[in-house]
Amino acid sequence: MRPPVRVGVFGLLGSGNLGNDGSLEAVLGYLRAEHPEAVVDALCGGPEVVATRYGIPATRLHWYRGEYRTASRAGAIAAKGLGKLVDAFRTAAWVRRHDVVIVPGMGVLEATLPLRPWGFPYSLFLLCATGRLFGTRVALVGAGAAAIGNRPTRALVRWSAKLAAYRSYRDALSRDAMREMGVNTARDEVYPDLAFALPTPPSSTTPGPVCVGVMDFHGGDDDRARAEEIHRRYLEGTTRFVRALAEEGRTIRLLTGDEVDEPVVAAILDAVDSPLVTAAEAASLTDLMKEMAAAGTVVATRYHNLICALKVGTPTLALSYAAKSDALMAQMGLGAYCHPAREVDADRLLERFRALEQRSAELRRTLTERNLVAARRLEHQFTALTAALFPTAAQAQAQAHAHDRDHAHAHTHDHDHDHDLREAP
């Protein structure tokens, strides 16, 4: 009898980002449905959360607990440097214990938000390099990618992708970006984001509130010099938009997608000061989807806020901060309803919002059709993943299908033979 396959999941999981955790949830659902014999554990940012919420053993990604705090004192800088060396050995030891490691979704090959090369890009490179060294198949599944300006970050991301045993992307832009970085993507496929595989809550049949998904937005990795100005404009424009809706008597629910967004919610609540504006507490993408399924319309910034709204079929307007958001909206038939997050003009946003609401019924039908396509494509993603990472299981499935076909053919042949005998004179 074969020993069970040892599967690791890897990433900034359990760290407060609902999109990352939703991608993990989708992959765990696939593993439990298709490979229940697999033994699964995680190397991740928030091991306590992952172990409690998903019931799998989890190990901390970084030895140094102050990894994501800016180091200024000499002692902190030395500890962070030592942590990088220790992490190389810790990652190698963890990878070596696995047959397969899956990096579920996430924008692991992009720097559309501020990112240092020695942070997660270095961790991902360690994973992929030690995977290649020890023969552990590393899969970047439904990854997000984008052009990267910073040379060290770009080099680490490029080598991580090259060393992975399997790659798929959540949009064509991501695959194109990796091709331009020098990665051979000839065999790489594009599928919808993994979050589209999560169960969908029922939509509301009565007119609901306007959900506004906000973000602690300071621009991207190349915007560091004007990060505060970008944040101020985003907050002021979003606040004016919410206030205008409240003055019209509309009910508004403020949503986040990461713990770091909570100060933005607090600032809007303080500035608008209306009983019509309330904040939702969502601990998962499922919670977000329930809020958005009850909404009449959604306006959102974070990528996975957009996915949740589109998946439940609620007409959505994107405050877009990257090309991935524009591509997602176009893919779902709402490409006309994007507004730049760097230039939030409340008047223009209100105009676009009203145009969206006028076409609400039509857009709901469009989203129903596009979601069916996304679900079918993700079935192909998981079939391809089984073939790439679990070849024995894939062969067994193929043999089972062949047996079923042969059985059906034999049954049909016997039925025809009996029919011939009955018809004979």
Side-chain angles (χ1 to χ4, degrees), residues 25-48:
E25 194 176 331
V27 164
L28 291 178
Y30 151 72
L31 290 171
R32 285 164 180 160
E34 300 297 329
H35 305 284
E37 77 292 345
V39 177
V40 184
D41 74 311
L43 185 62
C44 59
E48 299 86 0

Side-chain angles (χ1 to χ4, degrees), residues 332-360:
M332 298 302 287
L334 277 77
Y337 300 100
C338 296
H339 185 90
R342 283 174 177 78
E343 309 283 344
V344 180
D345 180 316
D347 294 330
R348 285 177 52 221
L349 187 57
L350 278 164
E351 187 181 313
R352 193 74 57 88
F353 174 79
R354 293 194 174 103
L356 175 76
E357 290 207 314
Q358 285 174 356
R359 293 184 59 203
S360 179

Side-chain angles (χ1 to χ4, degrees), residues 109 153-163 178 181-183:
L109 303 174
T153 303
R154 186 170 65 244
L156 287 167
V157 163
R158 180 175 64 246
W159 276 106
S160 297
K162 283 186 171 184
L163 291 167
M178 294 316 297
M181 276 193 243
V183 177

Side-chain angles (χ1 to χ4, degrees), residues 265-422:
V265 170
I268 293 173
L269 287 173
D270 186 54
V272 176
D273 192 22
S274 166
L276 293 172
V277 184
T278 56
E281 291 187 12
S284 66
L285 289 193
T286 300
D287 291 345
L288 276 180
M289 282 192 277
K290 286 176 182 174
E291 289 282 348
M292 292 171 169
T297 316
V298 173
V299 179
T301 309
R302 279 198 181 272
Y303 184 74
H304 279 93
N305 272 203
L306 293 174
I307 286 178
C308 287
L310 297 167
K311 181 171 167 51
V312 299
T314 303
T316 304
L317 199 161
L319 284 175
S320 174
Y321 67 86
K324 63 183 179 182
S325 300
D326 298 337
L328 171 67
M329 294 291 284
Q331 174 191 321
M332 298 302 287
L334 277 77
Y337 300 100
C338 296
H339 185 90
R342 283 174 177 78
E343 309 283 344
V344 180
D345 180 316
D347 294 330
R348 285 177 52 221
L349 187 57
L350 278 164
E351 187 181 313
R352 193 74 57 88
F353 174 79
R354 293 194 174 103
L356 175 76
E357 290 207 314
Q358 285 174 356
R359 293 184 59 203
S360 179
E362 173 194 345
L363 294 174
R364 284 180 181 273
R365 289 193 294 273
T366 298
L367 287 172
T368 298
E369 294 166 5
R370 300 296 171 98
N371 275 304
L372 288 172
V373 173
R376 283 197 297 270
R377 288 290 297 147
L378 277 172
E379 287 176 10
H380 293 307
Q381 163 68 97
F382 292 132
T383 300
L385 198 56
T386 291
L389 301 184
F390 306 94
T392 306
Q395 288 166 7
Q397 286 178 2
Q399 287 169 358
H401 290 321
H403 178 267
D404 290 344
R405 283 197 305 271
D406 292 345
H407 181 73
H409 178 74
H411 178 75
T412 304
H413 178 76
D414 291 345
H415 176 78
D416 291 344
H417 181 64
D418 291 346
H419 181 75
D420 290 343
L421 289 174
R422 286 197 302 272

